[in-house]
Amino acid sequence: MERFVDSKGSLTIRNGHETVLIECYGRGLRVRSVVKGEVVDQGYGLLSLPIEEGSIHIGEKVATIEHAGIKAVVDQHDWRGRSRISFYDSEGKLLLREIDSMGALDLHARHFKGQVGGNHALTVTFEADEDEKFFGMGQYQQEVMDLKHCVLELAQRNSQASVPFVLSCKGYGFLWHNPSVGEVQFARNKTVWKAASTKQMDYWITAGETPAAIVEAYSEVTGKVPMMPEYGLGFWQCKLRYYNQEQILEVARGYKERNIPIDVIVCDFFHWPYMGDFRFDEAFFPDPKAMVSELKSMGIELMVSVWPQVDRRSENYQEMLENGLLVGTESGVDIQMVFGGYSSFYDATNPEARKYVWEKCKKNYYDMGIKIFWLDEAEPEYAGYDFANYRYHIGPVAEQGNAYPQMFSRGFYEGMDEEGQENIVNLVRCAWVGSQRYGALVWSGDIHSSFEDYRKQVCAGLHMGIAGIPWWTTDIGGFAGGDPKDEAFIELLIRWFQYGTFCPVMRLHGDRLPATKLYHPTDGRELVPTGSDNEIWSYGEEAYDILSRLIRFRETMRPYTRSLMNEAHEKGSPLIRTMFYEFPDDPICWELKDQYMYGDELLVAPILYANARTRRVYLPEGEWLMLNDGKTYESGWHEIDCPIETIPVFNKGGNRSEWVGLL
């Protein structure tokens, strides 16, 4: 049998028991490998694209395949006959290379360890470059921009979204196209990717002259967001939780009476009788259709929370259980979460389950005029995160778990698309590769109300944009805690609100203190409580003046934000961008983690520490107009005054002079 085979423009490599296939896929190369079998096409996050022909050269011990500015060189590197893959750009610069066997150490770059049932624990190891910087990978709760020397869990958790695409400062992007729970180590001595349980290796790599070119190439093979609807450009009001119809209408009227622009108001969780009923509780929402109609008359869309949990007391539980529409538990009591009742998760990887849940939500929400959903608990949030103890329609969670949030978004997107809705957007608590093409607006989960957590969100949002998720936001002020009467929290809220003005979506949310207990009027059972007030007038006059001014500035930016949303839709570009994304030739920009670009025109320097009234800002080459005071600044480091009402924002080139003084 031949070692190297030109398979209609793709390269097949035979290494004894292993088969490796390298294909030209989009503007990159897709590499798959199996042991004792044939490579299969697993859709997962990549789009179904035609395979292009590469330029292939085959020698006795070396073969190459070249396409779209990247070349793979496969060489038989040791006496055992194993092969090693190296990747080069169009100028011959080495980008990435597998480790060799290290002589007597007998290492395997692609190490498949067999498991009972035919799967493998997989480890893929590459050489490390000590000076390399890494970015992307989704959302991790850490105040870190350069991921070099980081170890990241490849798993979904509340406030953690594993989207395993990494961008290197060396000029390549790498997608670990595997939904298995696992780990990546960007270590000093090697880079290691691990899958706990899988049938094959699958990754995609691209090369590009700029970070923007790399991200755009990645978006071409995984999909782009729809065009953001107009109601995604302004301010969204939310709290835990408006528990009845009149509260929602009162708050909406309050914004209109104060002439404060608002696009969306949110009806949070436990507006239902039991989780899994997928409908309003008529005791608290006697006429939801009239509620939606009144909100629309005010120009406000209602967003409704949908959880994937199904309580054992739900009217739908038995039917879903009998028809295999719930996630399975491998051992122990079949209870997957204990919050507001004993519940299981619906299996979003099952097409029949997705159809079932959508039809319930269509009847009970969508047909009433509700066109935007809040898909909470999308990881999903298993008790203890014991991934090995649960099973999906498409396989064990250890093997397939990371794909769940993508498929949760997919179910609603496809249902809404079938109804003819355009420009679909749904708020969701987690994401994986390809979630963006299903209208996923990801928020950063149940983070705490602290400056420390606030700083982490700045890094998380920038990494998400690199990882192909341009629609991203946070709970302004943090979710857990925060007392409207606490001056320290009011300062945090203002600083976070300033940052939120320059996020893809501007949304106020949180579980404010103190909570109020609630009881059901029919049977007296205790319900999930409601938090304190969280409207912009809940924090005193000084805060109200600052927050309302920021909302109005967001309205001023609406045409600019719309243009950024269009760019995300057409090219996959993030709205909030690392400094190096716009200025890749400036080495300082590769080091910055506390300032960013909102599109290509606005440099935003949020205030990230309590009691801070000045901060250092770095301005790259060019002339910069500060929107706060109208002064012009040259490139370099500057110490900027930032009293409580000020977030430093600079306009590149000074073409937004009409915005001066409005912020």
Side-chain angles (χ1 to χ4, degrees):
M1 181 178 292
E2 295 180 76
R3 170 172 295 279
F4 303 120
V5 179
D6 184 341
S7 312
K8 296 181 181 179
S10 300
L11 180 62
T12 299
I13 305 104
R14 306 274 182 191
N15 297 303
H17 301 307
E18 181 193 25
T19 299
V20 181
L21 175 64
I22 305 178
E23 295 176 313
C24 304
Y25 202 88
R27 284 191 275 164
L29 298 173
R30 184 179 184 183
V31 184
R32 285 176 285 176
S33 169
V34 294
V35 172
K36 288 291 189 182
E38 295 299 321
V39 169
V40 297
D41 187 15
Q42 302 171 115
Y44 295 139
L46 288 171
L47 296 169
S48 180
L49 299 176
I51 305 303
E52 302 180 34
E53 288 196 19
S55 175
I56 295 177
H57 298 280
I58 294 177
E60 183 180 352
K61 291 190 176 183
V62 177
T64 66
I65 177 170
E66 190 168 1
H67 170 71
I70 186 167
K71 179 168 70 173
V73 177
V74 187
D75 66 280
Q76 182 181 328
H77 74 285
D78 67 7
W79 61 270
R80 302 169 187 84
R82 290 198 294 256
S83 60
R84 178 168 66 163
I85 308 173
S86 306
F87 298 96
Y88 298 83
D89 67 11
S90 59
E91 297 180 353
K93 182 180 74 172
L94 178 65
L95 301 174
L96 183 66
R97 180 162 58 197
E98 293 177 336
I99 60 167
D100 63 17
S101 63
M102 299 292 288
L105 292 178
D106 192 22
L107 302 180
H108 297 248
R110 304 176 300 276
H111 184 214
F112 291 84
K113 184 177 181 180
Q115 298 174 329
V116 175
N119 278 11
H120 297 83
L122 172 64
T123 302
V124 180
T125 308
F126 297 95
E127 293 179 348
D129 181 340
E130 192 168 352
D131 296 325
E132 191 168 10
K133 300 179 187 299
F134 294 107
F135 306 88
M137 292 301 300
Q139 172 185 285
Y140 290 86
Q141 293 301 322
Q142 54 185 24
E143 194 183 341
V144 177
M145 273 310 301
D146 178 9
L147 299 175
K148 182 68 171 178
H149 307 305
C150 286
V151 176
L152 302 177
E153 180 189 40
L154 303 180
Q156 316 294 20
R157 295 175 182 255
N158 183 346
S159 80
Q160 175 176 296
S162 174
V163 188
F165 175 77
V166 66
L167 182 149
S168 166
C169 68
K170 294 176 69 173
Y172 70 89
F174 180 95
L175 169 65
W176 180 249
H177 189 231
N178 191 318
S180 169
V181 171
E183 182 181 88
V184 61
Q185 304 166 0
F186 298 115
R188 180 178 182 180
N189 60 331
K190 55 189 174 181
T191 295
V192 183
W193 296 84
K194 295 183 178 182
S197 180
T198 190
K199 292 179 173 63
Q200 68 179 18
M201 182 190 78
D202 190 350
Y203 64 80
W204 178 86
I205 184 169
T206 186
E209 294 184 358
T210 65
I214 293 169
V215 171
E216 289 168 18
Y218 169 63
S219 297
E220 288 173 5
V221 298
T222 58
K224 305 179 184 72
V225 290
M227 181 59 192
M228 177 65 77
E230 197 65 25
Y231 52 77
L233 306 181
F235 172 65
W236 294 13
Q237 172 63 45
C238 185
K239 65 164 270 188
L240 186 156
R241 61 188 178 93
Y242 300 123
Y243 71 91
N244 65 39
Q245 182 169 326
E246 189 54 33
Q247 278 188 336
I248 290 176
L249 292 173
E250 273 185 20
V251 171
R253 294 168 192 148
Y255 275 98
K256 286 301 175 181
E257 289 166 1
R258 292 170 173 84
N259 197 29
I260 304 297
I262 174 175
D263 281 1
V264 173
I265 193 167
V266 183
C267 183
D268 201 352
F269 67 177
F270 286 88
H271 61 265
W272 45 70
Y274 293 103
M275 285 192 295
D277 288 346
F278 305 115
R279 64 179 176 86
F280 288 105
D281 187 336
E282 58 275 6
F284 299 103
F285 296 87
D287 193 351
K289 191 170 184 178
M291 173 179 64
V292 172
S293 179
E294 181 175 344
L295 290 171
K296 285 184 180 292
S297 73
M298 292 186 275
I300 302 172
E301 292 291 327
L302 178 65
M303 179 167 69
V304 170
S305 173
V306 175
W307 278 37
Q309 281 95 322
V310 182
D311 193 296
R312 290 192 167 211
R313 297 167 293 179
S314 168
E315 61 198 19
N316 298 315
Y317 176 81
Q318 197 61 34
E319 181 181 11
M320 296 184 74
L321 177 66
E322 291 173 358
N323 286 280
L325 306 184
L326 301 176
V327 172
T329 300
E330 300 282 55
S331 63
V333 179
D334 192 11
I335 295 172
Q336 296 159 9
M337 190 175 187
V338 180
F339 178 69
Y342 298 140
S343 62
S344 298
F345 289 90
Y346 111 84
D347 188 352
T349 75
N350 183 341
E352 291 302 313
R354 293 198 298 267
K355 180 180 178 182
Y356 181 94
V357 169
W358 167 248
E359 287 179 349
K360 293 288 182 183
C361 291
K362 177 183 179 301
K363 175 184 176 182
N364 297 322
Y365 300 125
Y366 193 85
D367 290 348
M368 294 180 182
I370 295 166
K371 307 301 182 187
I372 180 170
F373 293 92
W374 180 0
L375 307 180
D376 208 336
E377 288 285 330
E379 306 81 24
E381 191 175 8
Y382 292 113
Y385 291 111
D386 184 0
F387 301 113
N389 197 37
Y390 303 106
R391 180 175 292 270
Y392 295 151
H393 174 76
I394 59 173
V397 170
E399 177 189 348
Q400 304 283 354
N402 288 334
Y404 186 100
Q406 185 226 65
M407 296 187 182
F408 192 13
S409 289
R410 177 181 177 178
F412 278 74
Y413 178 88
E414 290 181 342
M416 297 160 80
D417 183 60
E418 287 177 6
E419 293 300 311
Q421 183 171 339
E422 298 178 347
N423 303 335
I424 296 167
V425 56
N426 291 311
L427 186 68
V428 62
R429 202 174 74 179
C430 199
W432 192 64
V433 180
S435 285
Q436 69 276 3
R437 65 181 183 254
Y438 299 122
L441 162 62
V442 185
W443 99 96
S444 59
D446 295 346
I447 51 176
H448 287 199
S449 297
S450 70
F451 273 96
E452 179 183 358
D453 273 35
Y454 169 34
R455 291 192 294 273
K456 292 175 182 177
Q457 306 323 301
V458 176
C459 291
L462 294 172
H463 283 303
M464 283 288 270
I466 293 293
I469 309 292
W471 291 355
W472 180 88
T473 189
T474 69
D475 293 346
I476 291 177
F479 172 74
D483 187 337
K485 297 182 177 61
D486 180 0
E487 290 298 323
F489 175 69
I490 292 173
E491 179 189 10
L492 172 66
L493 178 79
I494 290 171
R495 293 307 196 188
W496 208 316
F497 209 94
Q498 291 167 343
Y499 165 67
T501 305
F502 299 93
C503 276
V505 167
M506 183 185 189
R507 172 178 157 272
L508 177 62
H509 182 54
D511 183 11
R512 304 295 173 239
L513 301 173
T516 300
K517 287 189 175 182
L518 297 172
Y519 300 89
H520 202 281
T522 58
D523 56 18
R525 72 179 187 275
E526 186 171 351
L527 304 175
V528 171
T530 177
S532 287
D533 294 344
N534 191 44
E535 295 71 50
I536 65 169
W537 52 82
S538 307
Y539 296 93
E541 284 301 318
E542 181 184 23
Y544 173 76
D545 289 344
I546 296 170
L547 304 185
S548 59
R549 186 174 183 178
L550 289 164
I551 293 174
R552 291 192 172 95
F553 188 80
R554 177 80 181 194
E555 285 297 303
T556 299
M557 288 198 303
R558 185 177 283 263
Y560 177 64
T561 300
R562 188 186 301 116
S563 72
L564 300 184
M565 291 294 186
N566 188 63
E567 194 176 343
H569 170 57
E570 292 183 348
K571 300 198 298 182
S573 310
L575 280 80
I576 49 176
R577 305 171 183 177
T578 59
M579 293 299 299
F580 67 76
Y581 192 93
E582 287 297 322
F583 304 96
D585 296 328
D586 187 334
I588 294 177
C589 288
W590 290 85
E591 305 293 334
L592 299 172
K593 65 179 182 180
D594 62 353
Q595 62 179 71
Y596 62 95
M597 297 295 294
Y598 184 64
D600 62 347
E601 292 189 28
L602 299 183
L603 187 156
V604 182
I607 311 307
L608 301 172
Y609 292 87
N611 303 314
R613 295 299 182 263
T614 65
R615 69 151 292 168
R616 292 186 80 209
V617 178
Y618 178 75
L619 303 178
E621 184 178 358
E623 189 174 86
W624 297 84
L625 174 69
M626 187 172 178
L627 297 183
N628 312 81
D629 60 14
K631 294 180 181 178
T632 299
Y633 293 78
E634 299 298 325
S635 61
W637 287 99
H638 300 271
E639 191 74 21
I640 303 297
D641 290 332
C642 47
I644 189 63
E645 69 274 10
T646 299
I647 175 175
V649 178
F650 298 83
N651 172 221
K652 185 177 70 174
N655 63 327
R656 297 288 181 178
S657 58
E658 72 275 13
W659 291 356
V660 171
L662 301 180
L663 181 59

